[in-house]
Amino acid sequence: FYQRYILGMRVRAEGGCYPSFSEKNIFRTLPDNIKFVVIGADVGGHSSASAFAATAYYVKDKELCACLVDEFHDNENKSAEAFIENFRIFAERVRKKFNCTECYFESGEQLLRQSASALDVVNVYNSVKLPIIDRIRFFDLMFSRGRLGIMDYCTHTIDAVRSAVYDP
């Protein structure tokens, strides 16, 4: 409510998945003491975008924290070849900046996962997805405790978090 009606931001006022997400979760500088970074890959379909996310893990006040430090977003989903080339470029970019050796790939897309693995840029594994409600609760808890952040230049993810609503 505050973000929408007071600050004039484009966010959902009702039914938002992440009510704890706020400006404190948008980082303008990288966290100190990043230990490692892991890439996540999501293959888009007919109505959704393909996306890659690089998440950094670090310790702050003796607690494990995470921050999204890079993203790639593709609405077009032109071809499998374009997807794999975009993955290679993204993974190489992340590896140049961070200690990153792993990617967790959407397990429903085995052919693309195998192609990404064959690039030998990072080790590629199947992701394991918990039920969506558990993921939403976990992320909102991490946002509320200040243990999960998103870099300010990761605008697609920030917009997605701000606009996510429950869909029963």
Side-chain angles (χ1 to χ4, degrees), residues 103-110 113-114 124-129:
C103 172
Y104 290 88
F105 210 90
E106 181 180 357
S107 55
E109 298 291 341
Q110 288 301 299
R113 187 195 66 76
Q114 290 170 2
V124 179
Y125 305 100
N126 285 330
S127 64
V128 176
K129 289 187 176 181

Side-chain angles (χ1 to χ4, degrees), residues 74-137:
D74 178 19
N75 280 330
E76 296 180 17
N77 297 320
K78 290 181 181 176
S79 67
E81 293 81 12
F83 179 91
I84 294 301
E85 180 61 12
N86 288 331
F87 175 78
R88 183 191 62 75
I89 292 167
F90 181 79
E92 287 176 350
R93 179 174 77 207
V94 171
R95 289 208 52 197
K96 284 181 183 175
K97 293 190 247 180
F98 303 103
N99 174 22
C100 178
T101 61
E102 296 181 349
C103 172
Y104 290 88
F105 210 90
E106 181 180 357
S107 55
E109 298 291 341
Q110 288 301 299
L111 186 58
L112 288 175
R113 187 195 66 76
Q114 290 170 2
S115 296
S117 183
L119 295 172
D120 206 27
V121 178
V122 291
N123 298 317
V124 179
Y125 305 100
N126 285 330
S127 64
V128 176
K129 289 187 176 181
L130 296 172
I132 187 65
I133 191 66
D134 292 341
R135 289 182 272 156
I136 290 170
R137 288 177 180 150

Side-chain angles (χ1 to χ4, degrees), residues 63-77:
E63 291 189 313
L64 182 64
C65 301
C67 177
L68 186 77
V69 294
D70 202 349
E71 69 177 359
F72 173 82
H73 185 86
D74 178 19
N75 280 330
E76 296 180 17
N77 297 320

Side-chain angles (χ1 to χ4, degrees), residues 4 17 29 38 47 53 62 75 84 90 107 123 162-163:
R4 183 175 183 183
C17 290
T29 59
V38 174
S47 62
K62 298 183 181 180
N75 280 330
I84 294 301
F90 181 79
S107 55
N123 298 317
R162 283 183 173 152
S163 63

Side-chain angles (χ1 to χ4, degrees), residues 21-68:
F21 181 77
S22 69
E23 289 300 309
K24 74 176 181 184
N25 303 107
I26 300 174
F27 296 178
R28 279 143 190 74
T29 59
L30 286 171
D32 292 331
N33 203 18
I34 292 174
K35 302 297 183 191
F36 61 93
V37 172
V38 174
I39 295 172
D42 187 20
V43 180
H46 299 295
S47 62
S48 65
S50 294
F52 309 129
T55 304
Y57 293 89
Y58 62 100
V59 176
K60 180 180 176 187
D61 300 326
K62 298 183 181 180
E63 291 189 313
L64 182 64
C65 301
C67 177
L68 186 77

